[in-house]
């Protein structure tokens, strides 16, 4: 099902790209509420991922357009479940740059965090683990076992864990 959805999105982007090739200005607008099927104008912004895909198709099939490509990131919170990687095709020039920037006056936050449900946490019960902790902290620390494959993959690649509870 996921592959079918990706194929449909790719075909939709190719169709959009083909139909709008003559009017492709190199300006693409994105919004956290943007859709993968939107046109990418300021009034009809795309999702960030759809804009990257559209730019990639443009660069691979038609090359770098005159005046380059500018992805205008409208304000808001962008949540990412997985990293995105710009391919080798994303190489602008001084005259025709590739720019990804927040719109003037807009606050943009890219968030790759992954919430973990509190219900799975419990106090440290393992005596060996308790001995490794300061006595003053042992009763305050909660632990959990992470089983989500996306989280495990993320931790295996970039071991960075920043936990907070109730915003602290």
């Amino acid at each position: 099902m996921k592959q079918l959805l990706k194929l449909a999105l790719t075909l939709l982007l190719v169709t959009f790209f083909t139909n709008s090739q003559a009017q492709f200005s190199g300006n693409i607008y994105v919004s956290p509420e943007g859709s993968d099927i939107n046109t990418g104008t300021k009034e009809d912004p795309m999702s960030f991922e759809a804009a990257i895909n559209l730019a990639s198709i443009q660069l691979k099939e038609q090359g770098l357009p005159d005046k380059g490509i500018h992805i205008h990131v409208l304000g808001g919170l962008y949540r990412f479940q997985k990293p995105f990687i710009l391919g080798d095709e994303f190489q602008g020039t001084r005259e025709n740059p590739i720019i990804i920037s927040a719109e003037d006056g807009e606050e943009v936050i890219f968030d790759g965090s992954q919430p973990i449900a509190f219900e799975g946490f419990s106090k440290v019960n393992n005596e060996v683990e308790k001995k490794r902790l300061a006595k003053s902290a042992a009763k305050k620390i909660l632990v959990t076992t992470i089983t989500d494959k996306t989280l495990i993959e993320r931790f295996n690649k970039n071991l960075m864990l920043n936990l907070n509870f109730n915003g602290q």
Side-chain angles (χ1 to χ4, degrees):
M1 183 64 177
K2 230 179 192 182
Q3 289 177 337
L4 184 60
L5 184 59
K6 281 185 180 181
L7 178 62
L9 175 61
T10 301
L11 289 173
L12 186 62
L13 286 172
V14 169
T15 302
F16 168 78
F17 179 73
T18 303
N19 291 338
S20 64
Q21 183 61 40
Q23 61 199 23
F24 184 77
S25 67
N27 289 298
I28 306 170
Y29 288 84
V30 300
S31 165
E33 294 81 30
S35 170
D36 293 348
I37 61 172
N38 288 359
T39 59
T41 64
K42 191 168 189 175
E43 297 75 27
D44 192 35
M46 297 181 140
S47 70
F48 188 82
E49 186 175 4
I52 296 297
N53 288 338
L54 178 62
S56 177
I57 291 168
Q58 162 68 33
L59 293 164
K60 287 177 180 175
E61 294 183 1
Q62 302 294 322
L64 188 62
D66 290 341
K67 299 184 184 176
I69 293 176
H70 189 164
I71 297 177
H72 302 265
V73 185
L74 300 175
L77 175 62
Y78 293 77
R79 294 195 181 272
F80 298 100
Q81 298 298 316
K82 59 183 181 182
F84 63 89
I85 298 170
L86 301 179
D88 292 340
E89 68 274 15
F90 283 87
Q91 296 182 27
T93 65
R94 182 177 298 274
E95 300 79 25
N96 301 316
I98 297 173
I99 300 169
I100 301 172
S101 67
E103 277 291 273
D104 289 340
E106 303 268 348
E107 181 178 352
V108 174
I109 299 171
F110 283 3
D111 182 0
S113 66
Q114 182 83 24
I116 302 172
F118 176 72
E119 297 80 40
F121 284 81
S122 62
K123 292 187 181 216
V124 178
N125 293 321
N126 183 303
E127 291 302 319
V128 174
E129 294 296 324
K130 279 185 183 179
K131 288 179 184 178
R132 293 177 52 205
L133 302 171
K135 288 188 185 211
S136 61
K139 293 181 182 176
K140 297 177 183 177
I141 294 179
L142 300 175
V143 296
T144 190
T145 300
I146 297 172
T147 57
D148 182 280
K149 290 181 181 181
T150 303
L151 284 175
I152 292 169
E153 182 177 308
R154 190 179 283 179
F155 289 142
N156 285 339
K157 288 184 179 176
N158 304 314
L159 186 57
M160 181 190 82
L161 185 59
N162 180 7
L163 293 178
N164 58 68
F165 179 70
N166 288 340
Q168 301 178 0

